[in-house]
Amino acid sequence: MVSRLRFSVAALAGALVLGSPGRSQAQPAAPHDTTHGIRLPFAMGEVLEYQVNVSLGGNIGQGQMRVEGPVLERGIVTWRLVSEMKAKRAFVKATDRTTSWIDPVRFATTRFEKIERHPLSNSNELIEMDIAAGTWREAHGEAQVLASQYPLDELSFLYFLRTLPLNAETSLHFNRHFDEARNPTMVTVGAEEVVETPIGSFTTRAVIMHVRDPKHFKGVGLIKINLDTSACRLPVRIVSRMPIVGITTLTLVRRNDPAGRCEP
């Protein structure tokens, strides 16, 4: 049933069985800083389109991730990261839209919103962050302490993965989620893999994100992301295991590269 599925890229986590991680390396919270000459591997105007397939139902939908902006948030120039997923089975439809506003200089989230529309359930999540005060709050909720001075949410963390070096197999730990209950996030950088897609063949690194999400999963959910080794670190394929439908795979089918930087 589509009502049991969550199709936002940020929520594609589950009990995917993968190999054990390699060596562990503690990581500081500081992000890559564009003010020091490090260019982000994506730019405003980037649009990535995906086909959504499940092992127990084939092609059930499509998705898109894009970078919009600039947008002014509390006097800070931000970029808006947007993930939209649409699924359909017979006459049943489901949609998810996740939006993250990030300060691209500090690579920190200032606001996060998720809207889910499923046949038997609807949900809205709105998180406001005050980095100067060191707090975050849900709509109509009490202020809580930010877990990092450079906070990330589930969508911006996916973009953050694209800034990591992919030249060696390793395991990294980050305490970057705004909610302390979601930390730490372990990221395993694995071997190179060649991924075939409708738009060509990509040499990628297999990156596994270990997600702590008590609201949606028991224990730790895993997302396997194949990031290509070009300058743009494109998420070519995203794989997880989900209830009822089994393994869910997002495959890149179209891309718009406004900066022209995606060649190896």
Side-chain angles (χ1 to χ4, degrees):
M1 296 174 58
V2 177
S3 60
R4 291 286 302 277
L5 306 183
R6 296 181 180 274
F7 288 98
S8 62
V9 169
L12 282 175
L16 182 65
V17 179
L18 300 164
S20 59
R23 63 186 178 87
S24 177
Q25 178 181 351
Q27 291 293 304
H32 292 283
D33 188 343
T34 55
T35 63
H36 289 84
I38 300 177
R39 299 172 66 193
L40 293 174
F42 51 88
M44 285 184 293
E46 180 191 77
V47 179
L48 306 177
E49 298 185 20
Y50 293 87
Q51 177 177 294
V52 181
N53 285 272
V54 294
S55 58
L56 301 181
N59 181 10
I60 61 171
Q62 56 278 329
Q64 185 181 93
M65 292 195 297
R66 58 185 184 269
V67 183
E68 302 175 342
V71 181
L72 197 64
E73 286 284 318
R74 292 198 184 95
I76 299 174
V77 176
T78 66
W79 294 1
R80 186 166 52 212
L81 310 177
V82 181
S83 167
E84 289 187 308
M85 298 290 150
K86 298 179 181 180
K88 181 179 180 181
R89 178 174 293 175
F91 298 102
V92 181
K93 298 180 181 180
T95 61
D96 285 61
R97 177 185 170 96
T98 304
T99 308
S100 176
W101 289 258
I102 65 163
D103 174 352
V105 175
R106 292 184 293 178
F107 210 96
T109 303
T110 62
R111 184 153 62 105
F112 172 70
E113 183 179 55
K114 180 189 290 187
I115 301 172
E116 298 176 334
R117 296 290 180 262
H118 299 170
L120 299 181
S121 65
N122 295 322
S123 66
N124 295 326
E125 182 179 5
L126 176 61
I127 305 294
E128 297 280 356
M129 302 180 204
D130 188 335
I131 297 177
T135 61
W136 67 274
R137 70 172 69 237
E138 295 186 72
H140 311 299
E142 297 291 329
Q144 302 186 56
V145 177
L146 276 173
S148 169
Q149 62 179 319
Y150 302 109
L152 297 175
D153 54 77
E154 51 200 55
L155 177 57
S156 59
F157 204 103
L158 180 60
Y159 280 83
F160 171 70
L161 291 181
R162 297 172 63 182
T163 72
L164 301 180
L166 299 177
N167 57 340
E169 297 181 32
T170 187
S171 291
L172 309 170
H173 288 80
F174 299 95
N175 291 295
R176 292 287 303 275
H177 199 281
F178 67 85
D179 184 353
E180 182 59 41
R182 302 283 296 274
N183 289 318
T185 301
M186 185 171 76
V187 176
T188 304
V189 180
E192 286 192 355
E193 296 179 356
V194 176
V195 177
E196 301 292 340
T197 77
I199 58 174
S201 177
F202 292 85
T203 300
T204 72
R205 278 280 184 177
V207 178
I208 301 166
M209 184 166 59
H210 304 240
V211 179
R212 296 176 181 271
D213 189 353
K215 183 181 295 185
H216 296 141
F217 304 100
K218 296 180 180 179
V220 178
L222 304 180
I223 306 175
K224 179 181 178 183
I225 306 162
N226 285 89
L227 294 177
D228 89 306
T229 55
S230 79
C232 286
R233 298 290 192 266
L234 296 170
V236 175
R237 185 171 63 193
I238 304 171
V239 182
S240 72
R241 183 182 296 276
M242 302 189 71
I244 301 179
V245 297
I247 295 175
T248 303
T249 303
L250 272 65
T251 302
L252 186 66
V253 295
R254 192 173 294 106
R255 69 183 186 187
N256 174 33
D257 174 23
R261 297 183 299 182
C262 289
E263 295 303 319

